[in-house]
Amino acid sequence: MKKKQKVDLVIANLLILLGVILTILPKFNVIKINITLFIVMIIYATLNMIQYALTKKSNDMEGLFTSILSYVIGISGLTFNLFDNLLQMVLLLLAWIILMSLIKLKKCDYYNDSNNKIWILKVISLGLFILTGIITCINLYYSADIQLIILGLFFYIHGILEMLDPITIYLMENNNENSK
């Protein structure tokens, strides 16, 4: 397994862990959903910046763009105390999902242009990411406990979707080596 695949796999596992932590938070009476969302955005941005820094040689800019977007949302939300209204928070999350989808679409296009068959998996993963994001935004109109659980499930599913890429590339490369 190449270094990039290992880093991507570790980051995906950390996203899954972040999702699990978010689903457990209501047990500890953490119910400030806005502050929690902005902190999660900063953690997510940091994970993607680490991913980009460790895999810079692969020319994969998805981690950089994702981290910039998430840092802007997280830091501006905490600094300016934005989005106290639930509707504003849902719109912010929906806008983040749309912008993330554009970043992921760019990566799908890169795989398609390089005649890599993994682009089909990336398009399916992108569709599932958008669907999960929309369902998450729709279900944020419940109590604070449910909101945290829904956000946790979103990041859990997002981590699983991010895990598909390095595992599939590893299996394809391993299969090509075994067939020789």
Side-chain angles (χ1 to χ4, degrees), residues 7-99:
V7 170
D8 289 349
L9 199 58
V10 168
I11 297 296
N13 281 317
L14 290 174
L15 273 177
I16 291 172
L17 180 65
L18 180 64
V20 169
I21 290 170
L22 280 173
T23 57
I24 295 172
L25 280 180
K27 295 284 185 191
F28 300 107
N29 294 325
V30 176
I31 56 172
K32 281 295 267 184
I33 186 71
N34 294 346
I35 293 173
T36 306
L37 176 64
F38 295 132
I39 290 171
V40 166
M41 286 290 175
I42 291 172
I43 292 170
Y44 182 73
T46 303
L47 289 175
N48 276 288
M49 187 58 76
I50 291 169
Q51 180 182 20
Y52 172 72
L54 292 175
T55 62
K56 197 184 318 185
K57 291 180 183 176
S58 68
N59 294 328
D60 187 3
M61 303 298 282
E62 181 184 13
L64 177 65
F65 295 144
T66 300
S67 61
I68 290 171
L69 173 65
S70 299
Y71 272 134
V72 167
I73 290 173
I75 292 172
S76 64
L78 287 174
T79 304
F80 303 116
N81 196 18
L82 298 176
F83 309 107
D84 286 330
N85 185 345
L86 182 62
L87 179 63
Q88 292 173 337
M89 187 184 69
V90 169
L91 290 175
L92 169 78
L93 189 60
L94 187 62
W96 179 77
I97 289 167
I98 290 169
L99 292 172

Side-chain angles (χ1 to χ4, degrees), residues 110-165:
Y110 167 76
Y111 280 131
N112 187 25
D113 289 346
S114 62
N115 293 325
N116 192 335
K117 295 292 182 191
I118 202 165
W119 75 271
I120 298 168
L121 179 67
K122 293 300 285 181
V123 169
I124 293 169
S125 176
L126 173 63
L128 290 172
F129 176 77
I130 293 169
L131 180 66
T132 306
I134 290 171
I135 291 171
T136 299
C137 290
I138 290 170
N139 286 310
L140 284 179
Y141 285 101
Y142 294 101
S143 67
D145 293 349
I146 302 298
Q147 291 172 347
L148 281 174
I149 292 170
I150 295 292
L151 279 176
L153 290 174
F154 171 75
F155 280 100
Y156 181 80
I157 292 169
H158 181 46
I160 291 172
L161 292 174
E162 289 293 316
M163 194 180 287
L164 291 176
D165 190 24

